[in-house]
Amino acid sequence: MQAGVPRDLLEAALSVAGNAYAPYSNFRVAAAVRDERGRIYPGVNVENSSYGLTVCAERAAVFNAVAHGARKIREVLVLALDSDEPIPPCGACLQVLSEFGDENLVIHMVSWRTGRVKTSTLGRLLPSRFSLGGRSKE
Ligand code: THU
């Protein structure tokens, strides 16, 4: 099961998966990112009764990493707890990932129910990112 998926990223996502807060959709997601220092940070989706305020697991993981000093994300794992198929990050999360990763950022997608895995890259899933051309990100 989950052949080819980095075990440390999967374990990090699993370590927080039980904390996913998804009482409205019942669609729990956990994620883990690896930064340029090799450090791993997890996140879960956090929903809100004002639905639009929901934050996806991927963004929660990225924000967790940045809060701890990460500035480059090299690899992401998305663990869908309630889906038979692996799920890609949504468009908003891809854009957020693009702030801290290049086109080679590896994205692993795993269904916990079935063990199905897909692997892609940020460049393939988000061929064009929005950026404020010429302006510093620092
Ligand atoms: N969700 C994620 O956390 N990551 C994804 O890649 C797709 C969707 C969450 C948002 C919401 O809490 C629930 O899944 C249903 O959309």
Side-chain angles (χ1 to χ4, degrees):
M1 191 190 231
Q2 288 100 29
V5 166
R7 176 180 283 267
D8 51 3
L9 283 178
L10 181 61
E11 284 176 354
L14 275 174
S15 75
V16 297
N19 299 324
Y21 181 74
Y24 304 105
S25 71
N26 292 312
F27 192 86
R28 297 163 299 162
V29 184
V33 302
R34 191 192 315 278
D35 75 2
E36 75 278 24
R37 305 164 300 184
R39 297 186 192 170
I40 292 176
Y41 299 94
V44 295
N45 57 332
V46 181
E47 299 188 341
N48 191 276
S49 60
S50 178
Y51 296 165
L53 300 182
T54 291
V55 175
C56 296
E58 297 92 319
R59 268 176 291 157
V62 170
F63 297 157
N64 184 17
V66 171
H68 287 89
R71 286 296 180 272
K72 292 286 174 208
I73 303 294
R74 303 281 189 223
E75 206 171 5
V76 182
L77 183 142
V78 187
L79 179 64
L81 282 305
D82 301 305
S83 166
D84 288 345
E85 296 299 328
I87 57 162
C90 77
C93 288
L94 291 170
Q95 174 68 25
V96 167
L97 285 166
S98 78
E99 186 76 18
F100 300 103
D102 63 24
E103 70 272 16
N104 298 315
L105 189 160
V106 178
I107 301 176
H108 305 278
M109 296 155 269
V110 181
S111 158
W112 184 241
R113 277 189 191 161
T114 61
R116 288 180 195 141
V117 172
K118 285 184 185 161
T119 301
S120 190
T121 63
L122 185 58
R124 285 202 288 266
L125 295 183
L126 186 72
S128 300
R129 66 169 287 231
F130 171 75
S131 68
L132 290 171
R135 287 175 57 167
S136 170
K137 289 199 286 182
E138 300 305 318

